[in-house]
Amino acid sequence: MSDKVVTRFAPSPTGFLHIGGARTALFNWLYAKHTGGTMLLRIEDTDRERSTDAATAAILDGLSWLGLTWDGEPVSQFERAPRHRAVAEELVRMGKAYYCYATPAELEAMRESARAKGLPPRYDGRWRDRDPSEAPAGAKGAIRIKAPADDETVVHDLVQGEVRFPNKDLDDFIILRSDGNPTYMHAVVVDDHDMGITHIIRGDDHLTNAARQMVIYRAMGWDVPSMSHIPLIHGADGAKLSKRHGALGVEAYRAMGYLPEALLNYLARLGWSHGDDEVMSIADMIAWFDIGDVNKGAARFDFAKLEALNGVHMRRMNDAELLDIFINTLPYLEGGPAIAARLDDTRKAQLLAALPGLKERAKTLVELADGAVFLFAERPLPIDEKAAALLGGEARETLRGAHAALKAISGDWTAEAAEAAIREYAVAGGHKLGAVAQPLRAALTGKSTSPGVFDVLAVLGREESLARVADQID
Ligand code: GLU
């Protein structure tokens, strides 16, 4: 056997890829990349009532958007049911598991008596040592594994440390139901073994399952993979993550205008750190990530931090790359489709030229789109309320002079040339620069805020700029 690391992400397709699932996938992916290993994807679709194809598609879409690639085809757990059954039957043949014919009424009585004693519900092992010939005629039993009764089961967890489970708490749990379907507990073990998983990295809500799953590994004589149970994400107030806190599907983060790289950076830093480094590229994360450095304590989700980090990533990304991501994200952004519909080559070039100014004022792609709307507006521009206020009173006269000054520019139409012309006009007319620049901005963009007004003039070009200003004078 090679030493190559094989991790897996094993979502249940009962809903979207939520933010906690994305973080689990990220840690599996980073660990695989960091060690030169592979990450596999298994869709845990054994629960036929709750699993849907739409959820599977949404999960794959979410992972792809984030760039969390998996190796090979996704494995369907449901399709492997015959193999799960075969292993359960093999365990019976090996004397490590047995058929149990306890009736629902008997099981209910066992639960009831445990409850009365204040104990957790537990199967009493009544079929464990009985001869198969005692099976009631025609009854289909469930298969239960023989769990160890004494001593303890120890999970050596890379995140949680040594976690001890007294074996007296593990009862002989079912691995194959009487209808022939495997239980989830059993399916996970058989799949992880068959897929050659060396490292299991998953939410710490699965920690107690780990002890039960070890019983199955041991019974089959299989190696137990390395285990890492990562803490769940909580809201900023410490409570379990809810929708209000950001427990949304990752596609909601795409629609809110976050960059995949920034979201991954934020999720990686939730519960893991590398010195004081806050801002990390994907390459940094791969180089620095180690699963053993993940904290045990619950991580807290904080929208404000995510937003600030997203702004940093936008500003440090090169403009061509940011433009690419922006264009690809437009269909998902509020107001994005309208921009996408009008994006020809000229406007793409304008957008690229405006990007340095736009990204200084935007923390998300939604804000970027909002800032870029002026490029795509049709004349006469809709003027918002604040901009209209800037165009009242004396402003129209001032604007008339500014229009003439701009029109008189004889050389190249650049931000510098526009600035020189406007400054000269302001000085000559005894205007403060702002008294000229503000109405100019309002006329050019229909808004009271925008990138630097001279950059706006340069990006829009001579003809369009002069026409927009003229619209507000006449
Ligand atoms: N399907 C499980 C879940 O979505 C994960 C099980 C595992 O990683 O072992 O929570």
Side-chain angles (χ1 to χ4, degrees), residues 337-348:
I339 293 182
R342 316 191 53 198
L343 200 62
D344 53 19
D345 284 345
T346 312
R347 288 210 162 98
K348 254 186 223 175

Side-chain angles (χ1 to χ4, degrees), residues 8 10-12 42 44 184 188 192 200 202 205-206 213:
R8 79 333 189 246
S12 305
R42 180 170 72 235
E44 305 215 309
Y184 166 71
V188 167
D192 281 337
I200 291 176
R202 62 186 173 193
D205 49 335
H206 289 283
Q213 290 166 357

